[in-house]
Every structure is written in structure tokens, then in C-alpha cells.
């Protein structure tokens, strides 16, 4: 066993610091004022730098060429080493890193003197006799822990022991199962007493474990630890002080969420059933799309399950088209496009040894190799023995990319569904290229699925440089958000899962993955009962990835119209989703620039309210909408906690409530409890049924201006990469309450010509109806007759039931203008 107990030497290299102890040696970089890197190894020398997760570095890295279009090389903050009574300190402007000598440990203190991280003295860094490395951290009495990627259970992972390992978790339980599909070794430590947040990211792809005070020893008091099976203890401290800032700074390091095409926010149909028919699966899917339309249910895509690849022996052969089921794939894709529906075919990186393309990939040296490197590794896969594409090899990426072009892109496909990509290769000593560094699969396994996504979107862009690909991944490592939307795999049909899938998604959002979802209705298990199905859809419409997907074990198919008497509830929920698409798309843009989650835990927005630190099931959609879905069976009323710091408007009853209290609201089967935060702007569009074919030309903006608020509405063409060349429009909407009214400022930036022809504002008026409304210096006409206002192109009307003024006008060409709402009292009595 090796233990870092005493400091031996410190060497200042100006850009970085070398720290030698009697156990491990460390290299310290002050990457910026928010991020400190502490890289530790128990070997004599550091291994070559190679990270596929980082987009911000200050050193040479073997993946620099591969990530050249993504990675930012910065100059680290210069080291100013100072001596103290018991060691040394360095400072990055916001945080001071203390290097204690005897006993040795690291400690990080913020600019106000608060300890935000402290190693466990005398036991900070340890390597056991099995070669496993440990990093122990001290813990206070008021810590909550969030993140950890894709995990089950409640949002706060205090007293949890979690394994980091990618696995195919068919039928997983969202309350208890661990591990799952994705591996993101990052967490947020929230000290509720000091109201301070910070994070730790372990840039290590070996199987690992987090223990957050589950293990206890009286000799060491309270602690947490990270344990990895190999590699460096490469720790990145991420500063806050808020949870929002930790997420922003973490995604500065590992990348922001990809700007997916607009239609990816629509409803995606899916089921394994259709692709397992004996023949004419294409007709069945087209009929599904047509039935959606007949039922008034919007649909923008279909996830094509892997049965389309089945060979004559029934096995899945990736990149093969089963011609009995799909006689003319190109015609099928074209027919879907006419209907405004994208096709995302399922592709798998395990290539069965009987697949006709196996010899081609062998000849191209595209597979993971055996431990001695002399042959292609073979392991169990779905359908039998298989080889696995080495996505850390240029050969593997080239071979895979060319197949995507030949079999998919060439017939009009621009979306990919990357499935079964956990790379469950049992022999961790199997070898991979690792872009010339040469590693074992055990050292890089979780990055394979991430690079699979990168390879796929690069192939689609190679075939059509201006296409904006839509990629969805089941597995992944830190940074997967740069390439793919993700979903949490094959959940089981149960009330437990519809409820606990919520904190799974919220935890992913706090781990940098803003664009995430879960199968709606449950993938594995029986057909959901009607009430469960309705509640699952009502909850699912707020997930960035919204897809009803099933592989039911009772010969049923979960479809929106499965229960005809309940279809009206399904339709209403999905139409609500489409109404919110302008808001969703703007939140996706925010995620792509700031790293902000789309679905957010209450503690993300209301960190100052101690009552929300443990809340797992209520959530915010963006910063404005609180959603308290009904996720328990048989409820006729729902308790809702409304966070302190603002007031809340019940969008169903138009009643205001003070924050900081729990209210009880009645619910029925159609209820979707939603509350608008005071100081909010929510852009909407009514009547959109298809995001491919319909134009969002009528924008409705809901405004609550009791508190000052601004929001950036984002627009582009939604389907090409022209936005990267400046063809986008960012409209900053700002609302302020004045002494006698509300002013709304509209300021545009960007070259994209908006498609919006009609602007409509719905402004909450809790105490007083307007006297007049002024648009860019002129008064708009008032309507007292709702029917006449409905036909008017311009004017305003006060809705007394909602207590909202509705303002309508033709969208102005001006880059900026102001809308003024006057609440002065008109004296109708005095002469």
C-alpha cells in the first residue's frame, strides 16, 4: 500500500507546480480562476496526456488533433508560490490552494475564507495492494451531493455508494439500480450551512466508485472517497459559489450541449414491435405517422429499432436493410420526409462475427484487439459473439463513418440512434489504439460510446456539410453532451420509474448533460395501465427528449391511442409540449452557450431556500416554470412546495401564492400542475403540429413582470449549420415594472430573418387592468369585445378571467423598440 502522508518537495515550473510526496506525486495547474487541476500518480512518471473529455486545456494532449475544432488551449494562471508555517499556497484569483506538508493534504479556500474542499489528512491519496487508487475528502455536517451522471434514486446522493461502470441495464429500477449506462465521474458538493457549492471532476475512465459517507470509520470521522481501478487520480476542482456557476464552469471544461435541430424537440414515435413484423414494417410505420395525424397528435420523428437490420437468420446485422420489412429504404425515408418526420435508425457498435461486413472491418484494422494485440477481440453481444469497433482508432472511425454514408446518409438519413454501446468487453486487458497512445479497453471503455457519437455526426457532415445532425446516445462519458442527445435506456414500466426518472434526468442536467430523457410509458415490462400512461406522458412532455418507446412483454404496443377513452389526455399533453417549443429551443440555446440544464432541480434556481435542497420530484423548466407533475397513483390532490424568494402564479386558476409554503391543489386525470414564477418570460406558439413543415410565424409571449426579468428568445432555421456562420437571431426581451405600468424592451441581435409575422404578448395584471398600451411611440387600439379582438391584426384586450392583457401587432422590423403598458387609473366619476 502507498499513502501520501508527507510532503517531500515542491518544484515551481511557472505554468504548473510539481508536488512530490512519500506516496504519490502531483502536478498542479491553475487552469483559470474557477478551475484547479490536481493530477496525481503513484507511478514514477506521469503517463502521456490523453483526454477525450476536455475541451479546455493548458498542455499538449494526444487528442489535440482529433478535437482541434472543439478544444481551446489556454495559458494557465502563473504560479506564485508562497511559503506558510506548514507548507505552501498558490492562488488563482478566487481560490487559494493550500499544500499542507505534515500530514500532507490539499485544502482549497475561497476569497472569503471559507473552506470549500479539504482532503482527509493522513489519508488523502492512497493506492492499495490491488492497484486501486483512492482520493479521500473530508465532509462537514451539512453537505448535499448532486450530479454523478446517470444515477437512480433521489437527487441528493448523501449516504450513497455508487459504481461508475457502463452496463446494459434492461428493465432497470429508477429508485435502486446501479450502475447504469453512462459514466460521468463528477459531482457538486453543496454546503447548505455556508450556502456554497463547488465540484470535483475525476478525469478517469477506469471503473470507479464514489462513496458519499456510506462507509464510516470512527478513526477518520466523516469523509467521502473516489476509488478507481487504474490510471491517474486526475482531479479538477470546479468553483462556484452557486450551483449554477459550478455547472457553467464544469461545462467550460467538458463542453456545452450540442445545438440539435429544432424538430428533435418534437414527439418521437418508437416501438420495437413494427420492425419485428414478418414483412411491410415500412407500411406499418407510415400508418403510425398517419394515425398520429388523424388523432390530432403532432409527430416529428421515428426511432427505427434494430429489427430493420435483421438477416435471414434473425440476427441483427448493423448497416443491413431487411428487404422484406423495408423493400425500398430510400423511398421509405422520402415518404416520411413528406410527412415531416425524420428517421433515426438504430446502429450498434458490436459487429457479430457472422455479419457480412465483418471481414471488411477486419481488413481495415477497425476492431478492438486482444490483450496481446495479435487478433481481434471477440466477446458476447446481443445475438452472439461479436467484434467491437475501436473508436479510438482512426481506422475504426473511418470504417464506421463510411458505412454510415453508404447505408444511411446516401438515402437521406440525417439522424442516428447509437444503441447498445456500453462496450461490455469482459477482458479489460483487450487493447485499443487510443490515437497512438495504445491503451487497454479498461482504461478507455466509457469514451467509446462518446466517440461513436462524434464519428457518426462527422460522417453525416462529411456527406452533407450543411446538415445539422440529430444524434442520440444510450451510453457515454463526460462530454457526451457535445455530440448527442441522450436517454436513460431501457426502463421498466412502473409507477416507481415514472417518478424516479425525474431525479435521474435532473442529475444528468447537473452533470452537464442538458438534453436528456427517459422512455415514456416504460420500455420493458407490460403495457402501462391507463392512468400510469397518462401521467407518464404528462411528465414526459417536459423532458428534452420526448419519445414513447416500448418493447412490452405482453404482446402489446404502447401508442398514444392505446386507450381510446384516454387519448384526449395524451393529445392535450403533447400539444402543450408543442406550444412550448419556442421556450424549449431558447433553453437549448442557453444550454449550448452556458451549459444550463433544461429541466432543473429547484435547488439550482433557489439555492437560498434550504427547503428545496432535498427536493427530487418537482422541477423547473428553465428559470420560469415550476412543474409539479402527478406521479403517484390515484391522487385527487397534490401537495406542492413553492420556493421562497418570489410569488407564484397557478397557470390553471390564475391565483397567486406567496413562496416559501406548501399548498394543496385539486387534481384530476387531465391535471398538469404548473406555476409561473414572478419575474418570468415564456415564449410560446399555438397551433403548431409539425416542426418540419409548420412555420412558427405567430409568437405568443407570456410575461409576469412583478419582478424585473429578461429572457433571450433564440431563432435560426432549425435544420442547417448556417447558425454557425452567424445566421441566427437572439431577441432579448426585458420587462420592468414601473410606477404606473410595465415596460417591455425588445432588442434583436443577429442576421437571421425572423419567420415571426405576428407578435402577441400576454402580460399578467394581478391588481389593475391597463388604461392604454403604447407600441414604439404610438397607442394601440383597445378592444372590449373578445370576438372582435380575435379577428383583429392589431390591438389589445384585457382577459378578466386570467387577469392578463393580450397585446397583438405585426412583428416590427426595428432592431429595438419598446412596448409600454399603462396602469394609471382613469377617473370616470369626477368632472
Amino acid at each position: 500500500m502507498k499513502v501520501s502522508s508527507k510532503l517531500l518537495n515542491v518544484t515551481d515550473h511557472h505554468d504548473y507546480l510539481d508536488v512530490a510526496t512519500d506516496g504519490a506525486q502531483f502536478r498542479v495547474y491553475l487552469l483559470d480562476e474557477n478551475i484547479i487541476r490536481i493530477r496525481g500518480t503513484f507511478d514514477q512518471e506521469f503517463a502521456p496526456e490523453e483526454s477525450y473529455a476536455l475541451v479546455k486545456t493548458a498542455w499538449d494532449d494526444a487528442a489535440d488533433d482529433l478535437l482541434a475544432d472543439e478544444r481551446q488551449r489556454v495559458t494557465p494562471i502563473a504560479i506564485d508560490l508562497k511559503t506558510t508555517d506548514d507548507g505552501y499556497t498558490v492562488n488563482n484569483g478566487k481560490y487559494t490552494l493550500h499544500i499542507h506538508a505534515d500530514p500532507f493534504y490539499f485544502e482549497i479556500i475561497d476569497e472569503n475564507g471559507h473552506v470549500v474542499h479539504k482532503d482527509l489528512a493522513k489519508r488523502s491519496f492512497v493506492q492499495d495492494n490491488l492497484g486501486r487508487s483512492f482520493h479521500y475528502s473530508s465532509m462537514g455536517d451539512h453537505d448535499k451531493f448532486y450530479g454523478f451522471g446517470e444515477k437512480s434514486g433521489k437527487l441528493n446522493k448523501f449516504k450513497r455508494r455508487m459504481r461508475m461502470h457502463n452496463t446494459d441495464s434492461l428493465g432497470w429500477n429508477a429508485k435502486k439500480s446501479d450502475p447504469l449506462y453512462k459514466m460521468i465521474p463528477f459531482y457538486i458538493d453543496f454546503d447548505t450551512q455556508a450556502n456554497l457549492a463547488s465540484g470535483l471532476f475525476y478525469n478517469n475512465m477506469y471503473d470507479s466508485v464514489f462513496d458519499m459517507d456510506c462507509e464510516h470509520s470512527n478513526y477518520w470521522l466523516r469523509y467521502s472517497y473516489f476509488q478507481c481501478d487504474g490510471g491517474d487520480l486526475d482531479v479538477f476542482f470546479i468553483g462556484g459559489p452557486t450551483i449554477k456557476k459550478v455547472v457553467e464552469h464544469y461545462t467550460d471544461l467538458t463542453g456545452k450541449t450540442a445545438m440539435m435541430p429544432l424538430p428533435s424537440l418534437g414527439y418521437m414515435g418508437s416501438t420495437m414491435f413494427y420492425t419485428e413484423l414478418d414483412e411491410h414494417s415500412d407500411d406499418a410505420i407510415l400508418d403510425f405517422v398517419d394515425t398520429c395525424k388523424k388523432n390530432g397528435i403532432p409527430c416529428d420523428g421515428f426511432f427505427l429499432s434494430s429489427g430493420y437490420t435483421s438477416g435471414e437468420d434473425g440476427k441483427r446485422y448493423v448497416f443491413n436493410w431487411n428487404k422484406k420489412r423495408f423493400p425500398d429504404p430510400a423511398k421509405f425515408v422520402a415518404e416520411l420526409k413528406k410527412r415531416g418526420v425524420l428517421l433515426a435508425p438504430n446502429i450498434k457498435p458490436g459487429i457479430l462475427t457472422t455479419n457480412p461486413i465483418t471481414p471488411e472491418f477486419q481488413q481495415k484494422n477497425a476492431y478492438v484487439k486482444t490483450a496481446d494485440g495479435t487478433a481481434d477481440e471477440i466477446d458476447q453481444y446481443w445475438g452472439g459473439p461479436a467484434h467491437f469497433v475501436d473508436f479510438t482508432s482512426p481506422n475504426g472511425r473511418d470504417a464506421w463513418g463510411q458505412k454510415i454514408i453508404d447505408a444511411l446518409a446516401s438515402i437521406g438519413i440525417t439522424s442516428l440512434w447509437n444503441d447498445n454501446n456500453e462496450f461490455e468487453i469482459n477482458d479489460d486487458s483487450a487493447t485499443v489504439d487510443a490515437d497512438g497512445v495504445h491503451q487497454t479497453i479498461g482504461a478507455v471503455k466509457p469514451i467509446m460510446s462518446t466517440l461513436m457519437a462524434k464519428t457518426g455526426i462527422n460522417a453525416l457532415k462529411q456527406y452533407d456539410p450543411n446538415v445539422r445532425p440529430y444524434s442520440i446516445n444510450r451510453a457515454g462519458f463526460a462530454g457526451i453532451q457535445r455530440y448527442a442527445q441522450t436517454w436513460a435506456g431501457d426502463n421498466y414500466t412502473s409507477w416507481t420509474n415514472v417518478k424516479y426518472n425525474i431525479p435521474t434526468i435532473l442529475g444528468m442536467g447537473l452533470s452537464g448533460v442538458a438534453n436528456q430523457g427517459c422512455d415514456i410509458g416504460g420500455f420493458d415490462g407490460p403495457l402501462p395501465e391507463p392512468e400510469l400512461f397518462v401521467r407518464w406522458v404528462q411528465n414526459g412532455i417536459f423532458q428534452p427528449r420526448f419519445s414513447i418507446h416500448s418493447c412490452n412483454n405482453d404482446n402489446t404496443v404502447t401508442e398514444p391511442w392505446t386507450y381510446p377513452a384516454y387519448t384526449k389526455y395524451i393529445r392535450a399533453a403533447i400539444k402543450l409540449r408543442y406550444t412550448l417549443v419556442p421556450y424549449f429551443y431558447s433553453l437549448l440555446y442557453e444550454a449550448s452557450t452556458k451549459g444550463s440544464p433544461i429541466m432543473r432541480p429547484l435547488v439550482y434556481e433557489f439555492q437560498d431556500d434550504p427547503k428545496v435542497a432535498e427536493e427530487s420530484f418537482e422541477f423547473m423548466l428553465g428559470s420560469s416554470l415550476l412543474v409539479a407533475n402527478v406521479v403517484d397513483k390515484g391522487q385527487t390532490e397534490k401537495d406542492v412546495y413553492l420556493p421562497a424568494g418570489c410569488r407564484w402564479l397557478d397557470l390553471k386558476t390564475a391565483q397567486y401564492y406567496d413562496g416559501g409554503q406548501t399548498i394543496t391543489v385539486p387534481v384530476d386525470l387531465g391535471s398538469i400542475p404548473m406555476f409561473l414564477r414572478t419575474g418570468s418570460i415564456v415564449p410560446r406558439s399555438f397551433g403548431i403540429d409539425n416542426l418540419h413543415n409548420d412555420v412558427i410565424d405567430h409568437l405568443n409571449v407570456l410575461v409576469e413582470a412583478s419582478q424585473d426579468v429578461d429572457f433571450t428568445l433564440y431563432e435560426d432555421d432549425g435544420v442547417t449549420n448556417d447558425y454557425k456562420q452567424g445566421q441566427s437571431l437572439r431577441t432579448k426581451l426585458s420587462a420592468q415594472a414601473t410606477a404606473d405600468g410595465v415596460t417591455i424592451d425588445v432588442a434583436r441581435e443577429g442576421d437571421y430573418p425572423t419567420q415571426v409575422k405576428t407578435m402577441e404578448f400576454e402580460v399578467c395584471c394581478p391588481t389593475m387592468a391597463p388604461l392604454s398600451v403604447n407600441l414604439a411611440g404610438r397607442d394601440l387600439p383597445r378592444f372590449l369585445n373578445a370576438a372582435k379582438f380575435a379577428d383583429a391584426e392589431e390591438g389589445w384586450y384585457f382577459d378578466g378571467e386570467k387577469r392578463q392583457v393580450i397585446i397583438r401587432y405585426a412583428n416590427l422590423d426595428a432592431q429595438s423598440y419598446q412596448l409600454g403598458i399603462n396602469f394609471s387609473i382613469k377617473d370616470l366619476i369626477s368632472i
Side-chain angles (χ1 to χ4, degrees), residues 266-338:
Y267 164 48
M268 299 290 145
S270 188
T271 175
M272 287 193 69
F273 185 85
Y274 294 145
T275 58
E276 298 300 321
L277 298 173
D278 291 337
E279 58 183 3
H280 303 309
S281 296
D282 52 352
D283 291 338
I285 293 169
L286 292 172
D287 184 66
F288 169 87
V289 173
D290 292 341
T291 305
C292 280
K293 186 172 183 179
K294 290 176 184 176
N295 281 277
I297 294 171
C299 180
D300 271 275
F302 196 87
F303 292 137
L304 189 66
S305 293
S306 58
Y308 81 95
T309 68
S310 295
E312 293 183 1
D313 57 2
K315 295 184 182 296
R316 272 106 171 131
Y317 292 142
V318 63
F319 298 123
N320 175 66
W321 282 93
N322 183 305
K323 291 305 178 68
K324 288 185 179 180
R325 295 169 176 170
F326 297 89
D328 190 339
K331 181 181 178 182
F332 171 59
V333 173
E335 287 296 327
L336 283 176
K337 284 188 176 182
K338 289 179 184 178

Side-chain angles (χ1 to χ4, degrees), residues 151-299:
K151 289 296 172 187
S152 63
K154 293 185 177 180
L155 184 72
N156 177 21
K157 300 302 190 284
F158 173 62
K159 288 293 183 184
R160 284 285 304 274
R161 189 173 193 272
M162 296 159 288
R163 186 181 177 204
M164 293 281 149
H165 172 79
N166 303 64
T167 186
D168 184 341
S169 305
L170 176 67
W172 63 283
N173 182 298
K175 190 174 182 179
K176 295 182 178 180
S177 293
D178 185 72
L180 297 174
Y181 303 87
K182 299 168 195 70
M183 175 176 167
I184 303 179
F186 164 74
Y187 71 88
I188 297 169
D189 182 348
F190 177 37
D191 180 343
T192 57
Q193 185 176 50
N195 197 20
L196 292 172
S198 60
L200 290 182
F201 169 55
Y202 292 86
N203 188 29
N204 184 298
M205 294 179 286
Y206 280 89
D207 279 7
S208 55
V209 169
F210 281 101
D211 189 304
M212 313 312 291
D213 198 46
C214 191
E215 177 181 298
H216 181 76
S217 168
N218 190 49
Y219 297 112
W220 301 98
L221 300 180
R222 300 183 63 195
Y223 58 85
S224 63
Y225 70 78
F226 170 80
Q227 167 211 313
C228 55
D229 288 353
D232 291 343
L233 284 167
D234 193 6
V235 190
F236 287 80
F237 167 82
I238 313 292
T242 64
I243 294 171
K244 283 185 180 181
K245 285 298 182 182
V246 174
V247 175
E248 181 178 343
H249 300 152
Y250 168 70
T251 53
D252 287 342
L253 183 67
T254 62
K256 308 300 182 183
T257 290
M259 198 65 202
M260 292 289 173
L262 175 67
S264 69
L265 295 172
Y267 164 48
M268 299 290 145
S270 188
T271 175
M272 287 193 69
F273 185 85
Y274 294 145
T275 58
E276 298 300 321
L277 298 173
D278 291 337
E279 58 183 3
H280 303 309
S281 296
D282 52 352
D283 291 338
I285 293 169
L286 292 172
D287 184 66
F288 169 87
V289 173
D290 292 341
T291 305
C292 280
K293 186 172 183 179
K294 290 176 184 176
N295 281 277
I297 294 171
C299 180

Side-chain angles (χ1 to χ4, degrees), residues 31-32 34-35 53-57 70-72 184 186-188 199-201 236-239 242-258 477-482 507-515 588-598 604:
L31 191 58
D32 60 29
N34 301 301
I35 302 174
L54 305 180
V55 297
K56 187 174 189 177
T57 63
E70 305 175 59
R71 181 165 281 171
Q72 177 191 16
I184 303 179
F186 164 74
Y187 71 88
I188 297 169
L200 290 182
F201 169 55
F236 287 80
F237 167 82
I238 313 292
T242 64
I243 294 171
K244 283 185 180 181
K245 285 298 182 182
V246 174
V247 175
E248 181 178 343
H249 300 152
Y250 168 70
T251 53
D252 287 342
L253 183 67
T254 62
K256 308 300 182 183
T257 290
F477 186 65
I480 182 60
Q481 67 269 11
R482 307 198 302 264
M508 283 290 281
L510 294 182
S511 304
V513 185
N515 195 348
L588 181 60
Y589 170 72
E590 184 181 337
S592 75
T593 54
K594 295 183 179 179
S596 313
I598 295 174
Y604 180 91

